[in-house]
Amino acid sequence: TILVLDFGSQYSHLITRRLRELNVYCEMLPCTQKLAELDWTPKGVILSGGPYSVYWDDAPHVDPAVFELNVPILGICYGLQEIAWTFGKNVLAGEKREYGHAYLKIKRHGDGEAGGHVDKLFKDVEDDVEVWMSHGDKLSHLPEDFVSVATTSNAPFAGMAHKTKPLYGIQFHPEVTHTPKGKVILKNFAVDICQARTDWTMGKFVDQEIARIRALVGDKGQVIGAVSGGVDSTVAAKLMQEAIGDRFHAVLVDNGVLRLNEAKQVKETLTAGLGINLTVIDASERFLGRLKGVTDDPEKKRKIIGNTFIEVFQETAKNIAAEAQGSSKAGDIEWLLQGTLYPDVIESISFKGPSATIKTHHNVGGLPKDMNLKLIEPLRELFKDEVRELGTKLGIPEELVWRHPFPGPGIAIRILGEVTPEQVRIAREADYIFIEEIKAAGLYRKVSQAFAALLPVKAVGVMGDQRVHSQVIALRAVETSDFMTADWYPFDGAFLKNVSRRIVNEVNGVCRVVYDITSKPPGTIEME
Ligand code: XMP
């Protein structure tokens, strides 16, 4: 196991992800983790980047025991500063910001005085490579017994290594895809230098998570969690069901803005198909009642839906807890499951650094304090594609595993303007046709997310020799790997023509269809 100590960089989780891609098992813990509290010994340690300067009085530092472990250590960005600070204290040139691409020149030492091991980090990497920089401080000179192993035009010590010990520091970020050889560098460190095993698989993740959940919850504890029918909540729910069976209570809140026939379909798949203990609550009227009259404020829609959701969920949780009390299942419900993924975490939590809050995603951090529930988030470290792999391992049907993501506020944020039952009907029917055609054309998996949005304007058309004045549907389909940036999908004309024809003909109240050709950024995937 490789221990990743997190100093809070926006890229920290990418380190763990890259290691998992190398089939290396790692655990990421806060940078202040006391080693004495671990019941395992890492084969190597990676110190992440972070938004601090080691100069600051309140700058975090690792447990000094890390440096006494005598295992290889790789410091990335702030991690390099941390190593330099530990071994040299006064080696920093002060704050000088550097962001973006840089060219790295690798300095090889051969078997000279520095010893052969200092070259190991850059094995199979060309002498000149592109890297991604994002840092404040830089080194002015090397701490004692370190040698420079890489430079950039701006940083004479963009990489350093200890002459005799397996200690390495790099100023750039190997974990981001903008550093094309980054994965080779991480592999050199984890596999060659640390000799970590490369036998970790998603199957092992399942076993580990199930064991972790059982240990956390105990043999009486009960867990409640909302499911939406999407891949994240279903995978999280299935994992809980495997771990604790019916002591996991799944709740599907029908908020009236789900897709066409969705509540029914989800119920069938989760209960009959996956054996999950599910309660479905139809609260459509309550939601739609509260959305009435909200015309021009997307964040207000999100808040109404988020708050109403919490209210309904809380009521349901109370009822389920009361029932559980009366049955043989002992104990109150004390845990809440959330299917939060890593990208949700960074898009929603604004940190000191550049990942500021973009939208208030209602499935993150919306936990009411008075519920007194402890949070379980088994997918918190994973990215979407990893969750899909996990879902497949858990025997979740293909169709569900590959389902496009669907936002918590549902089609309410795809109905621009007021959400009324009639608008919901139009948006739902158009969306259904669009998705049906995407599937029929064999494109569902190529497109990362697609939907029909309903614009709050009317246009003129002519249908059956009659002048009509009705609404406009905007189709949106994007390709993306991480949902943080996205490009619109280049359907061919014949496909769009067919979808447009069907929607105008089959959906009452629509006379025009347009296709959204905005990438993210500057657009977002959803329209609100
Ligand atoms: P945006 O629109 O921010 O969407 O580009 C990125 C991804 O997040 C989904 N999304 C949401 N999911 N609650 C959710 O659970 C929300 O409020 C929300 N807003 C956007 C969106 O569907 C896309 O997959």
Side-chain angles (χ1 to χ4, degrees), residues 73-192:
I73 300 176
L74 172 65
I76 296 173
C77 197
Y78 182 90
L80 168 141
Q81 314 292 347
E82 174 72 358
I83 295 175
W85 182 87
T86 306
F87 286 84
K89 305 287 181 206
N90 297 316
V91 293
L92 303 177
E95 293 198 40
K96 180 162 189 320
R97 300 184 172 278
E98 185 181 11
Y99 295 106
H101 290 282
Y103 283 90
L104 191 75
K105 249 195 163 10
I106 297 186
K107 231 169 123 176
R108 307 205 197 256
H109 294 258
D111 293 328
E113 189 234 349
H117 81 276
V118 300
D119 292 341
K120 280 189 179 169
L121 195 60
F122 295 116
K123 197 185 88 182
D124 302 329
V125 177
E126 298 82 350
D127 289 343
D128 286 281
V129 284
E130 204 181 327
V131 296
W132 183 257
M133 289 283 192
S134 172
H135 67 95
D137 295 342
K138 72 172 186 185
L139 295 187
S140 61
H141 55 275
L142 290 168
E144 206 176 324
D145 291 330
F146 278 79
V147 292
S148 168
V149 291
T151 59
T152 66
S153 58
N154 188 29
F157 313 114
M160 67 173 192
H162 192 279
K163 282 184 193 165
T164 53
K165 298 177 183 167
L167 299 174
Y168 305 85
I170 49 184
Q171 190 65 77
F172 58 93
H173 289 273
E175 68 275 29
V176 304
T177 49
H178 299 300
T179 300
K181 283 294 161 101
K183 204 162 150 181
V184 177
I185 295 169
L186 287 173
K187 176 169 182 269
N188 288 341
F189 178 72
V191 182
D192 295 351

Side-chain angles (χ1 to χ4, degrees), residues 302 347 359-363 405-409 413-414 449 483 520 524-526:
R302 277 196 166 73
E347 276 214 356
K359 289 180 184 179
T360 48
H361 286 208
H362 97 230
N363 53 350
F406 186 65
I413 55 169
R414 297 170 175 180
Q449 190 169 6
F483 294 86
K520 172 184 180 175
T524 53
I525 294 172
E526 299 294 342

